[in-house]
Amino acid sequence: MSTALQRTLAIWMVLLVAALLLPLPHWVAIVMLVAGLALLLVATRVTRRPARSETLFGADDLPDADYRQPVVLVCGDNVQEWPESAGVLTVPHGCWVRVAAEQALDVMVRQLLSCRPAWGSQLSVMICISPQQQQDRDLLSNRLLALRWQVCQLRRETGYSLPLALYVWVGSALVNQALWQAQLAGKPTSLWSDNTPPSSPERWLTAGGSMALQQQVLMTSLADWVRQEVVAVLTDPDADMPCATPVCIVQGLNASHDDALTTSLWTRWLQQHTALVQVAGWLPASESNQARPSLLPESVLPLLPKGRGLTPCQRACRGALWTVVMAGVVALCCSAWNNHQLLQRVAFDIAHYERIAMTDYPQKAAAIGVLHQDAAELDKYARHGAPLRLGLGLYQGGHLRLPLLEVIRSYVPPPPTPLPPPVENHVESIIRLDSLSLFDSGKAALNQGSTKTLVNSLVGIKAKPGWLIVVSGHTDNTGNSALNQTLSMTRAAAVRDWMRDTGDVPESCFAVQGYGAGRPVAPNDTAEGRALNRRVEISLVPQADACRMPGNTLTPSQEDGVDNNLMEK
């Protein structure tokens, strides 16, 4: 799994946790998950590379998959003869893999990892350069920049450190066998040959005498050239790519060099820095009967990383662990945020309720309703457990439950609204009787046909305690007003007497009034109006002490249910 794919998977995991735990609308959570899944699919498709049909090395020549020695990919100038039809050379302390074309370094690494996935932590790259084979400085710089870019890309894609080693050698007549000098970061410089163990330059000079001094001068000049012409290109900060600092720089002197050029970057550099055209020992011997030895510095192999890193399975487990840890951190942060929001909301509702005056009953009732909703929510969490977005051991709502209930208990409801006093329906029944149907003209005595009229008209008049039967007489304005007043009074009394005698109603139930022409109901200008004004009116008027039976005092509750038949005998 590439680094980009791992990062995308981690991002999708974080989005998943956030969508599940954050209080987001459902559509927002769905959009987040779909976007994260689409990003994951795109990253998987981009990082998946088609397999090449042509391999750049023989997989059968590689060591077994459990091989844990350093595996070094050698690119650059050819330094020795490789086995026929194979680009893999296995030695006791490691394995050399030849990269025939420098531009195919990234392809070689990918194919090697596809064949041996567990070798990622033990891979290294060695760039071999012989200044005696180079004539164009710009061409060499371009080759180094191309290799630098490939190494940086491989480190980013594979996630492995992929250490870079640098091997520079020249041929010289000053040596009769291969001589190497190594510079490792944080360690002193050491020299050695095929027959001598590594030692410091001081000890080498002491043991070798004047010849060793000449060799050391040439070796120091080679180190200066490497630093100025090679290392400076690989570590130039102005380039649009990360630096590729070598972890190990090996310089070598060899007695023979079949591909050495008479005029090369090496000879020109020596001439510029020594002002000498030619010095004995700058070039290797013109003729050599020895077989071409191996110029690869095998003593450097123990210094390169071995297969002690993580296997692909372990790397996947580590990525999964980091993803779970990241998701857990996001989940804890979301839970803490949700609990903070819950506490802040409930505290705000309580403070809002307490700020409202007790006399503001509508606002107080609305605020107490909100507190009841908060209490119901906290009770639900207390009975059934807090939801996942508030859980993970961070739920704090239980601390607010009791204070919230105390605030709710302190609520004083508004006093009940007093009921309006009952409105008594004072039913005032008024019955109007035409005087001409009861009396003869100018007379106050009931005529013979009045009985039927009185019985039919007064059937709804009932005597009962607390009600007064008012009988009032009225006349028109014809004649003397005093006589009309007396006549109206007399006629009202006659009707009262008939009702009293007929219904056996006590005297206290009646009131008699005579108004004469004082209360007309119609104009007296016409005969019809005067006929309407000649009348007797009978009405019921409420009065507390009216219509009481002698010796019987009734309570108000009894008055309402008194039997009217007692008075209607």
Side-chain angles (χ1 to χ4, degrees), residues 57-68:
F57 58 87
D60 296 336
D61 298 331
L62 295 174
D64 296 335
D66 56 354
Y67 184 75
R68 288 296 176 263

Side-chain angles (χ1 to χ4, degrees), residues 9 104 137-138 140 165 197 285 333 341 396 406 411 418 441 443 465 481 494 553:
L9 182 60
R137 181 182 179 185
D138 294 338
L140 177 61
C333 293
Q341 292 294 102
Q396 300 294 326
E406 291 296 330
Y411 173 68
S441 176
K443 304 295 182 179
S481 60
T553 302

Side-chain angles (χ1 to χ4, degrees), residues 56 70-80 82 87-91 94-105 108-109 112 123-129 143 147 162-169 294-298 301 304:
L56 303 179
V71 178
V72 184
L73 288 92
V74 181
C75 56
D77 298 332
N78 194 15
V79 297
Q80 73 172 50
W82 293 83
V88 179
L89 180 61
T90 304
V91 294
C95 178
W96 306 100
V97 179
R98 179 171 60 92
V99 181
E102 296 175 1
Q103 64 272 16
L105 175 62
M108 176 75 77
V109 172
L112 190 60
L123 287 181
S124 301
V125 176
M126 175 176 284
I127 301 177
C128 299
I129 298 174
R143 291 175 56 196
L147 290 171
L162 206 64
L164 178 63
L166 192 60
Y167 176 43
V168 182
W169 87 101
S294 172
L295 296 182
L296 291 174
E298 298 182 9
L301 290 175
L304 298 176

Side-chain angles (χ1 to χ4, degrees), residues 393-562:
L394 300 179
Y395 177 64
Q396 300 294 326
H399 301 297
L400 286 178
R401 186 166 174 264
L402 293 180
L404 180 60
L405 294 178
E406 291 296 330
V407 174
I408 293 176
R409 292 191 188 100
S410 67
Y411 173 68
V412 178
T417 305
L419 298 176
V423 180
E424 297 183 359
N425 295 325
H426 301 291
V427 180
E428 187 172 335
S429 300
I430 300 177
I431 299 176
R432 292 177 181 175
L433 301 176
D434 186 6
S435 295
L436 295 179
S437 63
L438 300 177
F439 305 98
D440 294 333
S441 176
K443 304 295 182 179
L446 296 171
N447 55 30
Q448 295 180 353
S450 62
T451 301
K452 183 178 179 181
T453 303
L454 289 172
V455 170
N456 294 333
S457 301
L458 302 180
V459 68
I461 301 298
K462 306 291 184 181
K464 59 181 179 179
W467 291 86
L468 184 65
I469 302 175
V470 179
V471 182
S472 58
H474 302 269
T475 64
D476 55 18
N477 61 352
T478 303
N480 186 274
S481 60
L483 294 176
N484 288 336
Q485 176 71 29
T486 303
L487 181 62
S488 63
M489 186 71 177
T490 306
R491 287 179 174 178
V495 174
R496 184 270 319 269
D497 294 341
W498 183 89
M499 293 179 65
R500 178 193 62 194
D501 298 337
T502 304
D504 196 12
V505 180
E507 188 77 22
S508 62
C509 292
F510 292 97
V512 178
Q513 296 176 344
Y515 295 102
R519 293 187 178 182
V521 294
N524 287 303
D525 298 338
T526 62
E528 292 80 4
R530 289 191 295 271
L532 292 176
N533 290 330
R534 295 188 296 270
R535 68 193 187 278
V536 175
E537 294 180 349
I538 303 172
S539 61
L540 293 177
V541 178
Q543 184 172 324
D545 56 349
C547 204
R548 299 292 184 185
M549 297 296 293
N552 184 18
T553 302
L554 300 177
T555 62
S557 61
Q558 292 173 329
E559 291 177 355
D560 295 338
V562 68

